[in-house]
Amino acid sequence: MAKIPRTVIDQVRNSVDIVDVIGRYVQLKRAGKSFMGLCPFHDEQTPSFSVNEEKQYYHCFGCGRSGNVFQFLMDYQHIGFVEAVMAVAKEAGIDLPHQYTEGSHHEQAPVNSETGQLLVLHNKAAQLYHHILVNTPAGEGGRRYLTRRGTSAQLIDQFQLGFAPEKEILTAYCEQQKMDYQLLRKSGLFTEDQSGKLHDRFQGRVMYPIKNQYGQVIAFSGRLLNTAVTDLPKYLNSPETPIFNKRRTLFNLDVAKKAARQTGKLYLFEGFMDVISAFGAGVSAGIASMGTSFTEEQVGIIRRTSPQLNICYDGDDAGQNAIDRAIKLVASQATGNLKVRVVQLPAGVDPDEYVQKFGADRFKDYLAGQEETTTDFYLRFLRQGRHLTNQSELMSYLDQALKVIARVTAPLEQDMYLGKLAQEFSLDKAALQGQLGQIKEQLGVQD
């Protein structure tokens, strides 16, 4: 196996941000010009592990470990230098020549040139769709649609939005470039007819590129422009491919994670346009899951990225139920510590509509002023469909509410919620406390 040249090593190291890589294993918080976290190499209660983004270097003031991104992976994963370079190259989509990786048997396989080629293909497709939207008559319909949605030219460029016309535009481009047929089949950008001929998967759609954590395009979501065509889905997403796993992908994570280092929180929105509108309003720490699903894998990514997640869904019944599912999913993941807050918009208004109706400043003020705990959310959520003037339904609600309050660990916070219930329903607070004690015993909750 040939020695990897210094120029190649430098290219791989410079292709990633050490804060992003280490942030997958250590929860980091900004402290001045650096980021701090609990050292993964020795037990400690107070953070002494420092990562310098400017110098791309880490150092632990407790145990003395230090180095660059390769050294961290070598120490953390117990692998050799070549394997560490290979691991970083694979994440960054860099194709290491075979002579530098031959003979290595670590589980992190050498970068498959197919991965790099798929990333290049998706980047070219994004550039083509964006050019059609911005610069050609074929993109006029897409431009009108985005203008109606309040999407500025700056936001179109920021998110590299595009348009796929009702033509075999991408197929023609790839044939002209003489791209490998099998690669195109695996890309998810095409459909295949019975004769084996490839066709553009996305046609007549506004295109939203989906990027990985390094900002590389790995998939697309296309919004149908002519919704009168009822036999086609309104939104069409790329299928899963060697470079795209929807369970492990969060829209705008590459941008949001950098903003979260400054603010200490991420905002989970329901849709791509909500994220884009929030960004235009100055909230760049917004993310969205793929479609309506929010997954365990995405929760794990969020835990490694930010200490707090603000769930910002619509205030209607569907949005309320989605908030409930998201909170329960986060709570089911026992590892790590992620604080969850809810920012609920008025019923029937999503973030995109709120920004268009009330403006950017009011939206930012709303996000800052309407954060509530999950307990506050459930005390309201549990009222859905109940007639609290009916004694039986009121008793049922109070029983469910006390079960929620029983899970609150801070005594003062618990006492505050009991006080609210007592005041609202003209109840004896001592009686509520007695009932709470019984519920704690039933649930096995320790004081």
Side-chain angles (χ1 to χ4, degrees), residues 59-79:
H59 177 76
C60 178
F61 295 97
C63 67
R65 298 245 195 173
S66 61
N68 60 18
V69 65
F70 301 134
Q71 187 64 53
F72 176 83
L73 291 177
M74 289 166 65
D75 290 345
Y76 191 87
Q77 297 185 352
H78 306 290
I79 59 178

Side-chain angles (χ1 to χ4, degrees), residues 380-433:
R380 187 179 63 254
F381 177 72
L382 292 171
R383 297 170 184 255
Q384 283 189 163
R386 297 182 188 269
H387 299 285
L388 298 184
T389 54
N390 178 285
Q391 186 174 2
S392 175
E393 294 205 30
L394 175 59
M395 293 300 295
S396 175
Y397 167 74
L398 290 173
D399 181 67
Q400 293 298 312
L402 288 173
K403 287 179 180 178
V404 171
I405 295 173
R407 301 288 186 183
V408 176
T409 56
L412 283 177
E413 187 179 355
Q414 197 172 84
D415 185 70
M416 179 190 71
Y417 288 121
L418 286 178
K420 285 184 177 180
L421 285 182
Q423 182 177 9
E424 181 178 1
F425 297 106
S426 301
L427 298 170
D428 180 43
K429 186 176 178 181
L432 286 176
Q433 287 175 327

Side-chain angles (χ1 to χ4, degrees), residues 229-442:
V229 184
T230 56
D231 60 335
L232 294 176
K234 184 177 179 181
Y235 281 94
L236 179 65
N237 296 331
S238 292
E240 296 205 349
T241 68
I243 61 173
F244 174 54
N245 181 324
K246 66 180 180 180
R247 293 184 63 85
R248 300 178 180 275
T249 303
L250 288 160
F251 182 74
N252 196 48
L253 180 65
D254 58 309
V255 173
K257 65 184 180 182
K258 296 175 182 177
R261 292 176 198 152
Q262 309 296 328
T263 64
K265 62 185 72 171
L266 286 170
Y267 289 91
L268 178 65
F269 295 109
E270 288 190 83
F272 300 159
M273 281 305 301
D274 295 330
V275 173
I276 293 171
S277 294
F279 186 95
V283 181
S284 52
I287 54 175
S289 55
M290 300 293 105
T292 57
S293 62
F294 185 44
T295 68
E296 294 178 2
E297 292 87 345
Q298 291 164 347
V299 172
I301 293 169
I302 291 170
R303 283 188 188 279
R304 295 190 294 269
T305 304
S306 173
Q308 180 172 324
L309 175 66
N310 284 5
I311 302 173
C312 189
Y313 287 174
D314 192 347
D316 61 12
D317 288 347
Q320 295 249 318
N321 291 329
I323 293 171
D324 172 45
R325 290 193 298 271
I327 292 172
K328 289 177 178 176
L329 182 63
V330 174
S332 71
Q333 306 303 298
T335 58
N337 181 31
L338 179 64
K339 182 165 66 174
V340 177
R341 292 291 182 265
V342 175
V343 179
Q344 190 169 272
L345 292 173
V349 181
D350 59 32
D352 178 35
E353 293 167 337
Y354 194 99
V355 171
Q356 291 187 57
K357 187 174 182 179
F358 299 111
D361 289 342
R362 189 164 166 183
F363 178 71
K364 288 177 69 176
D365 290 342
Y366 189 95
L367 290 187
Q370 295 297 319
E371 275 190 25
E372 63 178 4
T373 66
T374 56
T375 304
D376 281 319
F377 166 76
Y378 276 115
L379 292 181
R380 187 179 63 254
F381 177 72
L382 292 171
R383 297 170 184 255
Q384 283 189 163
R386 297 182 188 269
H387 299 285
L388 298 184
T389 54
N390 178 285
Q391 186 174 2
S392 175
E393 294 205 30
L394 175 59
M395 293 300 295
S396 175
Y397 167 74
L398 290 173
D399 181 67
Q400 293 298 312
L402 288 173
K403 287 179 180 178
V404 171
I405 295 173
R407 301 288 186 183
V408 176
T409 56
L412 283 177
E413 187 179 355
Q414 197 172 84
D415 185 70
M416 179 190 71
Y417 288 121
L418 286 178
K420 285 184 177 180
L421 285 182
Q423 182 177 9
E424 181 178 1
F425 297 106
S426 301
L427 298 170
D428 180 43
K429 186 176 178 181
L432 286 176
Q433 287 175 327
Q435 183 84 0
L436 182 66
Q438 295 178 20
I439 288 176
K440 284 184 176 182
E441 286 185 17
Q442 295 171 5

Side-chain angles (χ1 to χ4, degrees), residues 8-62:
V8 175
I9 293 172
D10 290 344
Q11 178 195 5
V12 173
R13 186 182 67 248
N14 293 333
S15 67
V16 299
D17 186 338
I18 192 172
V19 176
D20 293 340
V21 175
I22 294 180
R24 295 173 57 191
Y25 310 96
V26 180
Q27 190 174 105
L28 300 172
K29 296 182 180 179
R30 178 171 285 281
K33 295 183 178 180
S34 299
F35 292 84
M36 298 293 296
L38 296 174
C39 180
F41 303 119
H42 78 284
D43 293 330
E44 63 178 10
Q45 300 299 317
T46 304
S48 63
F49 184 80
S50 173
V51 183
N52 190 303
E53 187 175 29
E54 182 180 349
K55 296 180 180 179
Q56 292 292 294
Y57 192 81
Y58 73 90
H59 177 76
C60 178
F61 295 97

Side-chain angles (χ1 to χ4, degrees), residues 108-331:
Q108 286 276 10
V111 173
N112 189 339
S113 61
E114 178 182 271
T115 298
Q117 291 176 22
L118 286 171
L119 289 170
V120 169
L121 172 58
H122 278 75
N123 181 57
K124 294 291 186 183
Q127 291 176 350
L128 178 62
Y129 292 141
H130 183 67
H131 170 74
I132 292 171
L133 173 68
V134 174
N135 299 314
T136 73
E140 183 178 352
R143 293 194 296 272
R144 285 200 304 267
Y145 167 77
L146 291 170
T147 298
R148 288 198 305 270
R149 296 295 299 264
T151 312
S152 66
Q154 291 79 11
L155 286 175
I156 290 174
D157 288 341
Q158 168 67 35
F159 288 90
Q160 206 176 355
L161 304 185
F163 184 72
E166 295 180 355
K167 296 179 180 179
E168 301 282 357
I169 187 75
L170 188 59
T171 302
Y173 170 79
C174 292
E175 288 176 352
Q176 181 185 22
Q177 297 296 314
K178 296 182 171 28
M179 293 187 180
D180 180 69
Y181 172 76
Q182 294 300 331
L183 181 79
L184 300 183
R185 289 184 67 211
K186 295 179 181 179
S187 70
L189 296 173
F190 306 92
T191 58
E192 185 177 0
D193 62 24
Q194 291 183 344
S195 67
K197 182 174 175 57
L198 300 180
H199 304 275
D200 285 25
R201 179 179 297 275
F202 301 99
Q203 295 188 41
R205 294 178 181 272
V206 175
M207 300 296 285
Y208 298 86
I210 299 168
K211 300 178 180 180
N212 62 17
Q213 62 175 327
Y214 301 112
Q216 298 164 313
V217 181
I218 56 174
F220 290 92
S221 180
R223 200 274 189 189
L224 189 66
L225 199 58
N226 182 10
T227 53
V229 184
T230 56
D231 60 335
L232 294 176
K234 184 177 179 181
Y235 281 94
L236 179 65
N237 296 331
S238 292
E240 296 205 349
T241 68
I243 61 173
F244 174 54
N245 181 324
K246 66 180 180 180
R247 293 184 63 85
R248 300 178 180 275
T249 303
L250 288 160
F251 182 74
N252 196 48
L253 180 65
D254 58 309
V255 173
K257 65 184 180 182
K258 296 175 182 177
R261 292 176 198 152
Q262 309 296 328
T263 64
K265 62 185 72 171
L266 286 170
Y267 289 91
L268 178 65
F269 295 109
E270 288 190 83
F272 300 159
M273 281 305 301
D274 295 330
V275 173
I276 293 171
S277 294
F279 186 95
V283 181
S284 52
I287 54 175
S289 55
M290 300 293 105
T292 57
S293 62
F294 185 44
T295 68
E296 294 178 2
E297 292 87 345
Q298 291 164 347
V299 172
I301 293 169
I302 291 170
R303 283 188 188 279
R304 295 190 294 269
T305 304
S306 173
Q308 180 172 324
L309 175 66
N310 284 5
I311 302 173
C312 189
Y313 287 174
D314 192 347
D316 61 12
D317 288 347
Q320 295 249 318
N321 291 329
I323 293 171
D324 172 45
R325 290 193 298 271
I327 292 172
K328 289 177 178 176
L329 182 63
V330 174

